Amino acid sequence: MASLKVPEKPFNDSVVTQLEDVDLKKESVDLATGESIEQSEASLTVWLITFTVATGGFLFGYDTGVISAVLVNLKQDLGHVLSSNEQEMITSVTSGGALIGAVVAGLPADRYGRKLALYIGSILFLIGSIIQASAFSLAQMTVGRFVVGVGVGCAAMIIPLYIGEVAPAKYRGRMVALDNVMVTFGQLVSYAFGAGLTEVSHGWRYLVAIGGVPPIILLALLPRCPESPRQLTFHHKFDQAEAAVRKIFPRATEAQVNAKMGLMKADVAEYTTLMTGKGLWWQFKHLHIISSNFRALVCACAVMAISQLGGFNTLMYYSATLFSLVGFKQATAVSIVVGATNFVFNLVPFLLIDKIGRRKILILSLFGMASTLVIVAVSFHFIPVSPSLTISSGEVNWAGILVLVMIIFYVAFFSGGVATIAWVGCEFLPTEVRALGTMMNTVTCWGCNLIIASTFLTMMKAMTPTGAFSFYAGICFFGAVFVFFLFPDVTGLPLERISEVFEHGFDVKRANELQRERKKHAREGMT
């Protein structure tokens, strides 16, 4: 394997001189051997690492889902009954905090590694839970929700990035999907506890306090998780990187390990050459000015925006409020049905994403969401809802039942596709801009989430429920059109080769060619 001479620390003044000795290029590496390792079986170790880090996804889900039950149980515990604007504020402030958290986690992710943001996020989850549980004023509750939001943003940004770099290409989709499964499991648990504590005096305080337990567990387990091999290689810890590769691919041959290390070292050599003397502003421009990078960013962020603006978070944040509006007496309990559907159908991409591919699942998911939301919008026309969002009838009519059924189908389509694949989008981004691009993707998530959380009740009043859900249906439909024409499927491709797909456009055909090459190499390796 060719040698690579690198500085002890990246980005110092001697980098240019020392890089003159670098003779390792991707073209000199045995690509077939280096890529074949990605198709070997994953070790138990990498699955345990993925599951441990995905505990942060559980925190993400619990702390964002719990507000649905809290809103209907607060009553006058914060000094007065909250108005709809105040409810929107304490709901949306979490999204605002998450947007900031994504930036906090993203900026130092390359220099200090991926794990730092997980430590910061876990500590913020714990502090935010304590502040909320002890709140006796709207201001204190808002601060607690904001602190938790920053933690959510840290976790949401770094976990898919970390898992995507650790996971073998053969399992990358489902390992990232595991994070989303844990998010939905956290939401389901929050709905279940919310239903159980509805009749308990000040039960909402117990609800938010419970959210402080998982971060303690995550803080205890994180020291056992290594940095990703790519990050270790980036920081020139080649022995540790090779050891990590062997743990992830225990059945790999010596030639496969050496070729994989060669590919990663070549990536680092190109990255270091590119970034020498360059700051964050240059990296930001590189992400947006270089056509292939910008296309990858647009593709990832567009799917993320569609996933958030398509209306699902209205259910996560306001499900109990929405089902009370339809006429259900035990609205918190009904919300469990939504949470359970969300969790169960998240297992679909977990099991199938690396077999069927991202693109087919996305198209089915978005068309299904659009169709069900149209039926929800029409059904609301037959539910007697006043402009102040109160129902004039005490009974649930046929339209209310249909709304519930269609929302369950909508959640199934959402969870079975775009919910997970939106977070897999960081795989599009090349090494030199992956952390910054993932940060931008996460900022897109929480920016759009903030829009939905802070406008839903206002839209329901101004546009009527029929108008609001018709708007969400339109976003899902145009999202499906975007995916059909512009979203390439990179299932199973090594991270080092994905950038080829965006060199000459949103090249869906080139992605299909690379898929055929990958399958051909896999068949040849079996013979």
Side-chain angles (χ1 to χ4, degrees):
M1 182 172 63
S3 62
L4 174 67
K5 298 181 180 180
V6 289
E8 288 297 318
K9 296 180 180 180
F11 312 121
N12 61 29
D13 294 335
S14 64
V15 169
V16 175
T17 302
Q18 295 188 48
L19 278 170
E20 292 175 355
D21 295 325
V22 174
D23 62 356
L24 179 59
K25 304 293 182 184
K26 286 184 181 178
E27 290 79 3
S28 66
V29 179
D30 185 349
L31 284 176
T33 303
E35 292 175 7
S36 66
I37 193 175
E38 298 281 359
Q39 304 307 316
S40 60
E41 295 298 318
S43 67
L44 177 61
T45 300
V46 74
W47 278 108
L48 291 175
I49 291 170
T50 300
F51 186 81
T52 298
V53 175
T55 304
F58 177 89
L59 286 168
F60 171 3
Y62 186 89
D63 282 302
T64 52
V66 75
I67 192 64
S68 175
V70 169
L71 287 177
V72 296
N73 291 316
L74 274 174
K75 300 177 182 176
Q76 298 190 39
D77 285 0
L78 298 182
H80 62 279
V81 176
L82 300 186
S83 67
S84 60
N85 287 337
E86 288 172 332
Q87 290 182 40
E88 284 182 337
M89 181 179 70
I90 65 170
T91 301
S92 61
V93 73
T94 302
S95 302
L99 192 152
I100 294 172
V103 176
V104 169
L107 293 181
D110 281 332
R111 185 169 295 275
Y112 299 107
R114 313 311 194 200
K115 289 175 60 179
L116 176 64
L118 291 175
Y119 282 110
I120 293 173
S122 298
I123 293 170
L124 290 173
F125 277 125
L126 181 59
I127 294 173
S129 297
I130 294 171
I131 294 173
Q132 288 180 85
S134 59
F136 285 92
S137 68
L138 177 63
Q140 184 178 344
M141 187 67 174
T142 302
V143 170
R145 293 293 298 167
F146 177 81
V147 172
V148 162
V150 178
V152 166
C154 289
M157 184 268 159
I158 214 71
I159 291 173
L161 177 63
Y162 176 88
I163 294 176
E165 290 186 341
V166 170
K170 182 179 180 179
Y171 297 95
R172 188 172 61 239
R174 74 191 78 173
M175 285 186 172
V176 175
L178 179 61
D179 174 47
N180 215 57
V181 169
M182 292 296 284
V183 171
T184 59
F185 183 57
Q187 291 166 353
L188 176 59
V189 170
S190 73
Y191 293 151
F193 278 133
L197 295 171
T198 296
E199 303 302 326
V200 177
S201 178
H202 308 295
W204 68 269
R205 296 189 187 277
Y206 301 110
L207 268 178
V208 294
I210 289 169
V213 176
I216 297 174
I217 297 173
L218 183 57
L219 285 169
L221 294 176
L222 270 178
R224 297 179 177 271
C225 300
E227 276 292 353
S228 74
R230 288 175 178 83
Q231 272 293 295
L232 292 170
T233 303
F234 174 73
H235 290 286
H236 313 129
K237 299 177 181 179
F238 299 132
D239 291 340
Q240 294 180 40
E242 185 172 334
V245 169
R246 294 183 187 278
K247 285 183 179 180
I248 294 170
F249 305 102
R251 297 177 179 84
T253 65
E254 192 69 23
Q256 287 177 318
V257 172
N258 290 339
K260 183 62 180 177
M261 288 299 299
L263 278 173
M264 291 193 298
K265 287 180 179 181
D267 241 14
V268 168
E270 291 179 7
Y271 174 71
T272 309
T273 303
L274 192 64
M275 293 298 295
T276 299
K278 310 294 196 307
L280 182 63
W281 175 241
W282 180 93
Q283 195 175 7
F284 181 84
K285 290 192 295 183
H286 191 73
L287 177 61
H288 290 80
I289 294 175
I290 302 299
S291 298
S292 59
N293 292 345
F294 184 66
R295 293 185 193 108
L297 179 68
V298 167
C299 210
C301 289
V303 173
M304 179 60 77
I306 293 162
S307 75
Q308 299 302 304
L309 296 175
F312 173 77
N313 288 308
T314 63
L315 301 178
M316 185 173 71
Y317 296 137
Y318 299 107
S319 60
T321 303
L322 183 63
F323 290 132
S324 295
L325 180 64
V326 171
F328 289 99
K329 301 299 182 183
Q330 298 294 327
T332 306
V334 176
S335 297
I336 297 178
V337 178
V338 174
T341 304
N342 191 22
F343 172 68
V344 170
F345 279 87
N346 251 282
L347 297 174
V348 173
F350 176 71
L351 297 172
L352 299 179
I353 189 171
D354 290 319
K355 296 178 180 178
I356 296 178
R358 284 76 158 137
R359 190 165 175 272
K360 292 178 182 177
I361 294 176
L362 260 182
I363 292 172
L364 176 62
S365 172
L366 290 169
F367 272 123
M369 290 166 63
S371 302
T372 51
L373 284 178
V374 167
I375 299 174
V376 169
V378 173
S379 298
F380 261 111
H381 182 72
F382 298 96
I383 298 175
V385 179
S386 70
S388 60
L389 297 185
T390 57
I391 189 168
S392 58
S393 172
E395 300 296 327
V396 181
N397 65 9
W398 65 268
I401 298 295
L402 185 57
V403 166
L404 175 60
V405 172
M406 285 299 103
I407 282 178
I408 290 173
F409 276 100
Y410 165 81
V411 171
F413 280 116
F414 173 83
S415 303
V418 68
T420 294
I421 297 173
W423 291 104
V424 181
C426 59
E427 68 183 353
F428 287 145
L429 301 159
T431 302
E432 65 269 17
V433 292
R434 186 173 298 136
L436 183 62
T438 302
M439 182 195 78
M440 296 288 291
N441 194 39
T442 311
V443 167
T444 300
C445 167
W446 293 110
C448 295
N449 192 302
L450 177 62
I451 292 171
I452 291 295
S454 59
T455 61
F456 174 63
L457 296 179
T458 302
M459 282 180 65
M460 293 272 281
K461 289 181 178 179
M463 300 173 60
T464 74
T466 295
F469 283 99
S470 296
F471 176 78
Y472 299 140
I475 290 176
C476 293
F477 175 77
F478 286 111
V481 174
F482 172 87
V483 170
F484 184 82
F485 288 105
L486 299 175
F487 187 89
D489 197 331
V490 297
T491 302
L493 296 181
L495 292 175
E496 292 80 10
R497 298 204 66 187
I498 290 176
S499 60
E500 296 177 29
V501 174
F502 295 99
E503 287 178 354
H504 304 292
F506 297 88
D507 205 336
V508 175
K509 291 183 178 179
R510 177 57 180 159
N512 293 337
E513 290 173 4
L514 291 174
Q515 293 283 4
R516 288 192 290 271
E517 288 180 19
R518 176 183 65 84
K519 293 176 182 177
K520 180 181 178 182
H521 288 153
R523 287 194 298 269
E524 291 173 350
M526 295 174 62
T527 58

